[in-house]
Amino acid sequence: MSNLISKKIRGFRDILPIESKKFLYIENVIHRIAPLFNVQQIRLPALESIDLFKRSIGETSDIVTKEMYSFEDRNNDILCMIPEGTASCVRLALENNLIYDRGPKKQRLYYIAPMFRHERPQKGRYRQFTQFGAEFFGDTSYTNDIDLILLITKIFEKLNLLDIKLSINTIGTAVDRKKYSQELVTYFHSCSEELSDAQHDTLSKNPMRLLDSKDPKLKSIIASAPLISGFLNEESQANFDTIKEKLDRLKIPFIHDPKLVRGLDYYNDLVFEWKTNKLGSQDAVCAGGRYDNLSETIGGKPVPSVGFAMGLDRIVELVDYESNVLIIGLAVISNSNDESYKILNSLRKIDLTFNLIHMDDNKSLSKQIKQADKSNCDILIIVGNDEISNNTFTVKHLKCDRKDQNIPFGQLIDLITEYKK
């Protein structure tokens, strides 16, 4: 419609019923599987202090310097719409004493929430997007790392997404990364003529981020860059070797990508990504890793942690899903509107899931049947004067070769239950 006073903002999108059903299906899978791993749901606020992300993500990161939606409110506080969930989850957990009380507490939390980044819009990347994230707190051992990967694997299996590939790496401690970064600076300076001004800026602030560049001109340069494996401490290397061994035993396929790094400052040791070749350049659908120092960075006590974020907008693109919710039509042939409301209320009290569509009462029965066909109804419940008098329903099966049935209310519940099996 060209006369609208406003249309959707660039980079934001409308999610219509067909796609919304996919989101709901994916979210229901998450809600069913998360408790099997003792993960509890939380709800994150959409606004946080901008200082939270400056401290956690890093003041020089692209998210903080270029992508955040921030503003000054009426109290002169600088707020932002959350660009990612991990820092908010850690803040929530610390502020509400969920993960520290005279020492780290074991806790597993998950969230599904909208995030906001002012990025260049393209397929699979929006300025408002939905993330599912889980954060495991309080355990320094590799068992949390493995359990987190198992959780993601289980969700992908349930969604029948079996061609998404897992890549893993270890980036060691802050000391390891400092030594490695110095080596990267030396290496990239030897190729300085190939770097853009923005890439030179990245090199001066966080050299490891260049390894995550999607610039095709840097592909061969990155391929020849030194590896972090030569700078790892013995404990980090041994822990990573154990994780690889456990994944092999659990028959979870993975690729060790020694160039894999995460773009946020708070990660240490294990990092991972799930990628697909079905979404073009936006190939990562899930990523995360360990971040044992983040809670201390944002003002709390040290709490060992590992987590991930999954982009549900991209998962929706991959999931092959058709709703199997039973669609029931209701055709009332009566001169009384009160009868329609009574029958609708009685059907809506049935404690089963189905989609109920009320046909137009002012149309003839034959036209209401055609309307039910167009509405893709599985069955049509017909109620005329005889049915009202006898407290029965006539059921017309629209998608299978069964004769019409005249049944009492109790049998209707049994019939719906049978259809749902």
Side-chain angles (χ1 to χ4, degrees):
M1 296 179 68
S2 58
N3 295 327
L4 291 176
I5 61 171
S6 176
K7 294 185 179 181
K8 64 178 177 289
I9 301 168
R10 185 170 184 265
F12 291 73
R13 66 188 187 120
D14 302 317
I15 297 176
L16 304 182
I18 291 176
E19 194 173 17
S20 184
K21 288 176 183 177
K22 281 191 175 185
F23 273 96
L24 185 60
Y25 165 66
I26 295 165
E27 290 163 9
N28 284 337
V29 168
I30 292 168
H31 294 320
R32 290 200 305 271
I33 292 177
L36 301 178
F37 291 81
N38 191 30
V39 194
Q40 302 182 79
Q41 187 183 21
I42 57 170
R43 303 291 178 100
L44 298 175
L47 293 178
E48 294 274 14
S49 166
I50 196 171
D51 292 334
L52 174 64
F53 299 103
K54 285 184 175 180
R55 291 282 296 277
S56 60
I57 297 173
E59 292 200 43
T60 62
S61 67
D62 284 349
I63 293 176
V64 170
T65 59
K66 301 176 183 177
E67 298 171 3
M68 283 204 300
Y69 285 91
S70 59
F71 60 94
E72 184 176 332
D73 73 355
R74 294 179 180 179
N75 297 325
N76 299 320
D77 296 320
I78 306 298
L79 308 179
C80 68
M81 304 178 79
I82 61 172
E84 63 100 31
T86 299
S88 286
C89 182
V90 174
R91 192 272 313 150
L92 175 152
L94 288 169
E95 190 170 341
N96 293 280
N97 300 316
L98 298 181
I99 60 174
Y100 195 91
D101 182 13
R102 292 173 293 181
K105 296 162 62 176
K106 291 185 179 182
Q107 183 72 264
R108 294 179 170 188
L109 305 172
Y110 81 97
Y111 48 88
I112 299 173
M115 310 286 168
F116 305 86
R117 295 186 193 177
H118 194 278
E119 298 183 286
R120 183 170 65 86
Q122 54 186 285
K123 183 177 174 59
R125 175 183 286 176
Y126 308 98
R127 291 176 175 175
Q128 177 181 334
F129 52 96
T130 302
Q131 274 193 356
F132 157 50
E135 319 292 346
F136 291 7
F137 299 105
D139 194 341
T140 58
S141 75
Y142 63 84
T143 55
N144 263 12
D145 303 49
I146 296 295
D147 230 18
L148 195 77
I149 291 173
L150 283 171
L151 167 64
I152 303 165
T153 302
K154 185 72 174 175
I155 289 170
F156 285 155
E157 287 175 351
K158 191 67 177 176
L159 295 173
N160 200 33
L161 299 178
L162 306 179
D163 58 350
I164 299 177
K165 308 301 182 184
L166 170 63
S167 297
I168 64 173
N169 193 25
T170 179
I171 57 173
T173 65
V175 173
D176 299 335
R177 293 193 299 281
K178 184 176 181 180
K179 293 177 183 177
Y180 179 52
S181 292
Q182 291 170 350
E183 183 70 17
L184 285 179
V185 168
T186 301
Y187 170 76
F188 280 111
H189 272 313
S190 68
C191 314
S192 60
E193 293 182 359
E194 304 294 328
L195 304 183
S196 67
D197 290 343
Q199 289 162 350
H200 274 291
D201 188 51
T202 300
L203 181 62
S204 66
K205 294 175 180 176
N206 192 330
M208 288 178 61
R209 288 205 185 108
L210 281 180
L211 299 178
D212 202 29
S213 172
K214 301 298 188 290
D215 185 346
K217 295 179 182 178
L218 287 188
K219 188 174 181 180
S220 61
I221 296 174
I222 292 172
S224 301
L227 303 178
I228 196 171
S229 54
F231 299 83
L232 295 174
N233 67 87
E234 291 184 4
E235 184 179 353
S236 290
Q237 184 63 65
N239 190 61
F240 186 58
D241 290 340
T242 302
I243 289 172
K244 290 190 290 183
E245 177 187 335
K246 296 296 181 184
L247 292 176
D248 282 332
R249 289 185 181 180
L250 291 166
K251 300 188 183 306
I252 297 177
F254 66 89
I255 300 165
H256 175 201
D257 180 359
K259 294 285 189 351
L260 175 63
V261 297
R262 299 295 300 127
L264 307 182
D265 286 353
Y266 51 66
Y267 284 108
N268 62 276
D269 291 306
L270 178 70
V271 291
F272 54 82
E273 284 187 351
W274 265 268
K275 294 183 178 182
T276 178
N277 59 7
K278 294 185 176 181
L279 294 175
S281 62
Q282 303 306 309
D283 57 352
V285 297
C286 179
R290 181 162 282 278
Y291 51 94
D292 294 331
N293 302 311
L294 178 57
S295 61
E296 188 174 18
T297 298
I298 64 177
K301 299 291 185 179
V303 178
S305 314
V306 61
F308 71 86
M310 183 185 298
L312 295 193
D313 300 82
R314 296 179 188 176
I315 298 297
V316 163
E317 294 279 340
L318 299 173
V319 167
D320 184 15
Y321 170 74
E322 287 187 19
S323 174
N324 60 356
V325 174
L326 182 68
I327 303 176
I328 299 176
L330 173 65
V332 180
I333 311 301
S334 170
N335 294 326
S336 172
N337 287 334
D338 289 343
E339 293 299 337
S340 293
Y341 290 123
K342 288 178 183 178
I343 297 163
L344 282 167
N345 284 336
S346 65
L347 292 173
R348 288 165 178 160
K349 288 178 181 178
I350 297 175
D351 191 19
L352 295 169
T353 301
F354 55 88
N355 193 9
L356 180 60
I357 303 175
H358 185 201
M359 303 299 123
D360 293 338
D361 287 347
N362 59 346
K363 293 182 177 180
S364 66
L365 177 58
S366 61
K367 288 186 176 180
Q368 290 191 55
I369 292 172
K370 289 181 180 178
Q371 185 184 355
D373 271 326
K374 287 183 178 179
S375 300
N376 203 31
C377 293
D378 296 285
I379 60 177
L380 178 65
I381 297 172
I382 302 171
V383 182
N385 292 327
D386 289 343
E387 286 84 2
I388 292 170
S389 299
N390 299 322
N391 197 27
T392 59
F393 297 94
T394 295
V395 178
K396 189 173 190 65
H397 302 272
L398 300 175
K399 291 187 178 178
C400 61
D401 188 19
R402 293 173 64 175
K403 292 182 179 180
D404 294 355
Q405 298 172 267
N406 188 265
I407 57 177
F409 183 77
Q411 288 185 24
L412 178 62
I413 296 174
D414 294 336
L415 179 69
I416 294 172
T417 303
E418 176 189 337
Y419 258 94
K420 289 178 64 63
K421 288 182 179 178

